[in-house]
Amino acid sequence: MDTKDLAAAHPDHWRRAACIRTLTLDAVAAANSGHSGMPMGMADVATVLFRNHLKFDASAPHWPDRDRFILSAGHGSMLLYSLLYLTGYEDMTLDQIRNFRQLGSITAGHPEYGHAAGIETTTGPLGQGLANAVGFAMAEEFLRARWGKKVVDHHTYCIAGDGCLMEGISQEAIGLAGRHELSHLIVMWDNNDITIDGKVSLSDRTDQMARFAASGWDVFECDGHDPEDIDRALTAAKASAGPAMIACKTHIALGSSAQDTSKGHGALTDDQLIADTKAAYGWEHGPFEIPSDLKEEWEAIGARGAADRADWDARIAALSTTRQVEFARSIAGEMPKKLSATIKALKKQVTETTPKVATRKASEMALEVINPIIRETLGGSADLTGSNNTKTADLGTFEPENRAGRYIYYGIREHGMTGAMNGMALHGGVRPYGGTFMCFTDYARGAMRLSALMGVSVQYVMTHDSIGLGEDGPTHQPVEHLAMLRATPNMLVFRPADAVETAEAWEAALNQKATPSVLALSRQGVPTVRREHKTANQTWRGAYVLAEAEAKRQAILIASGSEVSIALEARAILEGEGIGVRVVSMPCMELFATQDESYRKRVLPGGAVRVAVEAGVRQPWDQWLLGERGREAKAGFVGMEGFGASAPAEELYAHFGITGEAVAAKVHALL
């Protein structure tokens, strides 16, 4: 493609787009690392989007009614960083651009949420941003229905590349978006026909436009280097009745000797190549130098939305005080004051009636009192509604005919569901939770890890949490998944023992603003182990003394979830023999680890034998068995050493030796 012709056809546009291209070349060269080609190829599309269509105000990056821009092709991060710098985002300085990919900079190799204003989500693993964008658009639809168009009315724009569309999560995401007719979602496909290995045809022959159309999208295409054609396609996409995909035909690493090659995908750092490319652009300025007139043009683009924001501020001010306060509370992620009293009342009811219910059912009991008072919860399940117990009667179904519905049928899309929930949480104003079987955290893991990395409060309702699910067998029995999830930084894993702890777990999880939570819940019924009502949330401390030794204390049994009642059975056996046993319920290891040492020492004092009981693998328990004043010679574990089997739950617990008698025998062996 002749860059001289492009420059001559639209000289003003060409110079604006060249700012993105040259900043990218300079930053990647300075870092000697990065991906030059995608920002060079998509600079025209991004320039038209920001100049003519995107509703934003660079001086107010957190304005709730701004359009969202998601760079799913996160390896092209310099595209986003250049745009933020050029349009005048305060924290994206030229020094930050110079320090691209360096320790301590906000310009990480891939865009990271929380590092800089204007970065809406973390997009490293390909396809995640696309799934997030679907969640952003779903949140916008729901909030528009709840608050009205005067308060919420904006678009979500997403740039995705071939890598995003090859990843399996993309089909889950586009199928979900098509079903829900998300008309405010626009995906711009960087159709450059190149991957790291070479031509896309090496590995794929998918007709992407037909694929999106088959999934219920409106499909458009444009010349990704012709600003008038790009503008036409964006205008048409905004007017479409469903989600829109624009196939933007582009040239990766435009204007360089690496154009249209796999080399162009990576870091272009050769001095001569950079000089030749800038010459092809007609760029006569030094490294990182943006002429003042161009910077002023870009800053004017960044200020263009100030009038829209001022109008929005006036509309918010016209709302009743009650609605203003409620909107601000939900956007801030604050919980209603009544939540604490509501949970206390439920706990009191449970301790008085002592039901034997599965903790998945106990979760439903908690949601039945939570959802009516937290109007921003958006629940859902990956085709396991009746098993996950995530739907309460008051929610209604989220669908095109009822945007105010609060329950989402995600279908068999664990990864797409969790990716979308991240987008909802990042959008603000909603609190998403969604369920599946715990073994399918394998399928959801990529997005769950990003929840923790970004620090967003998403609640994952993972039921059928052990061999206790029974006859479905080892493929569905998640013996190692608790260890995997507990190994994830900044994630809370709750495994409640009964309906009281389940209610407390929900309260603790919902009050987290920057940490996702997993509620690992049983299929099988468990007895109420908390027989005395206490207003304090014991689960919030991570672990606590459930039953104290009556005889002289010689052993401490530590358990979670459905095995707490087994620990109590063992205690009864041992106390009957004159051996004093303390039982510690540990519903959340991560929260217990944050308690001060004096509290942890009171719960787990030294000297006694320690045995942990859990129908999973031992790995995460050694911190509490061998650390915290424990000793290897006096520590044991009763749980799983391998995979499960297919049989009724009671038979499996006996077969694998997870019983009160086995725990008592373990204590005897260690005394």
Side-chain angles (χ1 to χ4, degrees):
M1 174 163 286
D2 192 334
T3 54
K4 290 182 180 178
D5 290 343
L6 291 173
H10 304 282
D12 293 339
H13 163 85
W14 177 259
R15 291 182 73 233
R16 282 189 288 268
C19 296
I20 298 171
R21 294 184 169 112
T22 56
L23 283 174
T24 295
L25 284 166
D26 293 337
V28 171
N32 197 31
S33 172
H35 297 262
S36 311
M38 180 275 195
M40 294 163 69
M42 284 296 280
D44 295 303
V45 173
T47 298
V48 174
L49 172 67
F50 271 64
R51 182 172 184 263
N52 298 352
H53 297 276
L54 194 72
K55 182 176 72 172
F56 74 109
D57 178 359
S59 70
H62 304 296
W63 170 30
D65 200 36
R66 69 192 181 279
D67 287 343
R68 286 2 184 233
F69 173 62
I70 312 297
L71 184 66
S72 187
H75 55 279
S77 55
M78 270 308 304
L79 177 78
L80 178 55
Y81 301 151
S82 298
L83 289 162
L84 297 180
Y85 164 66
L86 291 167
T87 54
Y89 281 76
E90 184 178 4
D91 56 356
M92 190 57 70
T93 64
L94 194 56
D95 280 343
Q96 291 292 346
I97 300 291
R98 291 180 191 274
N99 285 302
F100 177 56
R101 288 188 163 222
Q102 303 309 298
L103 184 65
S105 75
I106 61 176
T107 47
H110 293 78
E112 293 194 30
Y113 173 73
H115 282 209
I119 299 174
E120 301 286 4
T121 182
T122 296
T123 51
L126 292 175
Q128 291 289 336
L130 176 58
N132 294 165
V134 172
F136 273 96
M138 294 176 82
E140 192 271 343
E141 292 281 4
F142 168 72
L143 291 171
R144 182 153 33 93
R146 182 181 179 194
W147 296 100
K149 290 182 67 172
K150 291 183 178 180
V151 177
V152 179
D153 188 16
H154 54 263
H155 284 78
T156 298
Y157 296 92
C158 174
I159 287 179
D162 286 301
C164 298
L165 301 191
M166 285 191 205
E167 291 286 359
I169 190 174
S170 70
Q171 185 58 47
E172 297 185 29
I174 69 173
L176 189 63
R179 164 64 186 93
H180 288 289
E181 302 174 17
L182 303 176
S183 63
H184 284 207
L185 172 62
I186 298 173
V187 171
M188 295 151 286
W189 169 36
D190 179 17
N191 180 17
N192 61 43
D193 197 37
I194 293 294
T195 67
I196 291 174
D197 279 351
K199 291 282 188 181
V200 168
S201 57
L202 285 172
S203 58
D204 193 57
R205 61 183 297 174
T206 304
D207 182 336
Q208 296 291 357
M209 295 177 68
R211 175 188 172 213
F212 273 78
S215 300
W217 289 58
D218 296 317
V219 178
F220 306 88
E221 56 185 326
C222 70
D223 177 341
H225 301 299
D226 180 342
E228 292 181 354
D229 203 34
I230 296 165
D231 187 68
R232 172 199 57 78
L234 281 166
T235 300
K238 286 164 68 176
S240 68
M245 187 271 255
I246 305 172
C248 306
K249 189 58 185 172
T250 62
H251 294 270
I252 199 167
L254 179 73
S256 75
S257 58
Q259 178 179 310
D260 299 330
T261 70
S262 58
K263 179 183 177 182
H265 186 283
L268 302 180
T269 58
D270 179 78
D271 289 342
Q272 191 60 52
L273 181 150
I274 293 171
D276 291 346
T277 305
K278 289 185 176 181
Y281 294 161
W283 193 261
E284 299 176 349
H285 312 286
F288 298 103
E289 182 182 348
I290 302 296
S292 59
D293 63 323
L294 284 173
K295 186 66 166 74
E296 288 171 4
E297 286 183 31
W298 271 110
E299 288 180 353
I301 292 170
R304 179 173 49 80
D308 285 334
R309 181 177 60 83
D311 289 345
W312 182 85
D313 286 341
R315 293 195 297 274
I316 288 291
L319 296 176
S320 69
T321 301
T322 300
R323 279 177 68 77
Q324 287 185 54
V325 169
E326 178 65 6
F327 182 76
R329 180 197 64 75
S330 64
I331 290 293
E334 302 284 354
M335 289 295 100
K337 292 179 180 178
K338 345 176 141 167
L339 177 61
S340 177
T342 300
I343 294 297
K344 287 183 178 71
L346 176 60
K347 286 164 53 178
K348 189 171 189 295
Q349 176 189 338
V350 171
T351 55
E352 289 172 352
T353 57
T354 65
K356 180 178 181 180
V357 294
T359 51
R360 59 175 175 150
K361 175 61 179 176
S363 173
E364 181 182 35
M365 292 161 57
L367 288 170
E368 283 172 346
V369 300
I370 289 168
N371 282 332
I373 62 171
I374 307 177
R375 300 296 301 168
E376 62 268 25
T377 53
L378 277 179
S381 170
D383 201 52
L384 292 167
T385 296
S387 293
N388 299 149
N389 297 96
T390 43
K391 189 175 191 295
T392 57
D394 59 314
L395 293 181
T397 301
F398 178 86
E399 55 191 341
E401 299 76 27
N402 182 24
R403 297 300 197 193
R406 294 166 56 199
Y407 192 79
I408 301 167
Y409 290 99
Y410 285 102
I412 305 90
R413 299 185 180 104
E414 295 88 0
H415 204 179
M417 172 180 75
T418 49
M421 288 198 295
N422 278 341
M424 294 174 197
L426 290 163
H427 181 282
V430 300
R431 290 301 296 266
Y433 69 87
T436 186
F437 286 172
M438 189 164 175
C439 62
F440 299 144
T441 53
D442 289 335
Y443 287 0
R445 167 70 176 157
M448 294 178 73
R449 180 176 184 269
L450 286 172
S451 300
L453 179 62
M454 292 187 283
V456 292
S457 185
V458 177
Q459 278 68 58
Y460 296 105
V461 182
M462 299 300 180
T463 69
H464 298 59
D465 68 345
S466 73
I467 61 169
L469 71 87
E471 293 86 345
D472 272 342
T475 60
H476 282 52
Q477 292 168 7
V479 295
E480 77 275 29
H481 295 67
L482 286 165
M484 171 185 75
L485 293 166
R486 288 168 177 157
T488 306
N490 193 42
M491 180 171 280
L492 298 181
V493 181
F494 293 95
R495 191 163 185 255
D498 65 2
V500 174
E501 284 192 1
T502 303
E504 290 182 337
W506 267 110
E507 182 183 18
L510 288 167
N511 274 283
Q512 304 298 319
K513 282 190 174 182
T515 305
S517 300
V518 175
L519 285 87
L521 306 172
S522 72
R523 175 184 187 249
Q524 74 275 31
V526 293
T528 299
V529 297
R530 287 271 291 275
R531 299 299 182 101
E532 180 184 347
H533 175 61
K534 294 186 177 180
T535 58
N537 187 321
Q538 305 269 59
T539 298
W540 214 320
R541 305 204 77 167
Y544 61 96
V545 177
L546 176 63
E548 188 53 277
E550 295 176 2
K552 180 183 177 183
R553 185 173 66 230
Q554 298 182 60
I556 299 175
L557 304 180
I558 320 167
S560 80
S562 46
E563 286 72 69
V564 171
S565 60
I566 291 174
L568 290 171
E569 291 172 13
R571 174 181 178 272
I573 293 169
L574 293 164
E575 288 281 357
E577 299 169 354
I579 299 170
V581 177
R582 168 184 285 187
V583 172
V584 171
S585 179
M586 189 174 281
C588 184
M589 291 184 180
E590 298 79 24
L591 286 177
F592 185 59
T594 67
Q595 304 303 307
D596 59 71
E597 186 178 4
S598 62
Y599 177 76
R600 300 198 314 271
K601 190 173 183 178
R602 289 201 303 275
V603 175
L604 294 178
V609 161
R610 292 185 190 177
V611 175
V613 192
E614 187 172 75
V617 298
R618 173 171 173 161
Q619 187 177 12
W621 286 97
D622 281 347
Q623 178 179 1
W624 315 112
L625 292 173
L626 309 182
E628 298 286 328
R629 298 156 298 281
R631 291 180 297 155
E632 188 166 2
K634 294 292 185 180
F637 178 72
V638 174
M640 298 296 292
E641 295 180 356
F643 294 108
S646 181
E650 298 82 0
E651 294 181 24
L652 290 173
Y653 272 84
H655 174 75
F656 288 109
I658 308 174
T659 64
E661 293 79 7
V663 175
K666 180 70 74 173
V667 171
H668 277 296
L670 292 168
L671 283 174

